[in-house]
Amino acid sequence: MSSGLADPAILARQVAGLYAGASRFAQGYVGGKLRGDPASRAVLDHAVATPFGHVADLGCGRGQLGLALLTAGLATRVTGLDRDAAKLAEAARAAARLPAGFTVAELSAATVPECDTALLIDVLYQLPVPVQRPLLAAMAERARRLVLIRAFDPDLGWRSTVGLAMERAGRAVRRDRNAIAPLPLAEVAAPFAAAGFAVSVAPCWGRTPLPNVLLVAERQR
């Protein structure tokens, strides 16, 4: 593995190649996420400046972001958790020669492992509020250095209105009765500030109309 971030398109091809045994859809999804998702690029760019060490990727799906960090030499180990066993099986096969492990789990405070860096990308707002708050507190307790969360900001005016409408439409199509429940960013940041992290928030929506932001919490003490 080389140090630093390769050309994003090259890195996306390298990681997609790890999924050669998966379906064509899975390979396309992995490559597309790494090439086009603003959160993937933002996380990788941040890791160039501050290498991540042992990463806990919570709600990791197929695991492509963690495997990209390992392939680029920006993490030393990845622990991925997700409730979708089929996606995790694809991740485990892709990571056969990399220091990564994947576990089927419903996200809760109890499932957050000790780590250097914790990632929670596009997951938090999809969880029930009674799960979100203790999960954030556990991340603040168990991440030794960094936490990165791509969150849905419910207070961004028209962007929030569009984002909520799109999420509700998607749930209707999937017949998903779970309500979308994005916490205000002040509530997301509060446990990290209380635990001694410096917290910053930046836009992370790229060319989309969505209210996605990247919250970065870096431990100061």
Side-chain angles (χ1 to χ4, degrees):
M1 294 183 294
S2 62
S3 177
L5 180 60
D7 179 276
I10 294 174
L11 181 61
R13 285 198 298 271
Q14 289 175 330
V15 176
L18 298 175
Y19 293 77
S23 67
R24 184 171 295 182
F25 172 83
Q27 294 176 57
Y29 175 88
V30 164
K33 286 291 283 187
L34 293 175
R35 285 191 303 272
D37 182 12
S40 298
R41 184 56 190 268
V43 169
L44 289 162
D45 283 346
H46 198 87
V48 171
T50 309
F52 282 179
H54 175 200
V55 173
D57 189 358
L58 309 177
C60 65
R62 291 183 172 86
Q64 71 278 346
L65 185 52
L67 298 194
L69 289 165
L70 290 172
T71 300
L74 302 174
T76 57
R77 181 159 57 104
V78 169
T79 299
L81 284 76
D82 200 277
R83 66 181 182 179
D84 191 321
K87 290 179 180 178
L88 290 184
E90 293 176 344
R93 287 192 294 268
R97 298 183 181 181
L98 293 170
F102 299 93
T103 301
V104 178
E106 292 286 346
L107 292 185
S108 69
T111 60
V112 178
E114 297 282 347
C115 59
D116 297 310
T117 301
L119 304 179
L120 188 65
I121 306 299
D122 293 335
V123 174
L124 182 66
Y125 69 91
Q126 300 186 53
L127 301 172
V129 169
V131 173
Q132 291 185 49
R133 293 190 177 106
L135 176 61
L136 292 167
M139 293 173 72
E141 178 185 355
R142 295 169 197 160
R144 289 182 285 267
R145 297 196 307 220
L146 285 166
V147 173
L148 287 87
I149 300 172
R150 206 216 339 219
F152 182 114
D153 187 344
D155 299 313
L156 277 180
W158 68 266
R159 285 187 178 275
S160 302
T161 300
V162 170
L164 286 168
M166 291 176 66
E167 287 290 339
R168 288 167 180 157
R171 281 162 170 72
V173 169
R174 298 189 302 270
R175 298 183 179 179
D176 181 350
R177 296 184 180 181
N178 294 321
I180 178 173
L183 290 175
L185 290 186
E187 288 192 48
V188 178
F192 302 104
F197 288 79
V199 179
S200 62
V201 177
C204 195
W205 51 68
R207 297 181 180 180
T208 76
L210 301 175
N212 297 326
V213 298
L214 187 71
L215 181 148
V216 178
E218 186 167 3
R219 191 178 291 278
Q220 304 295 296
R221 62 176 190 269

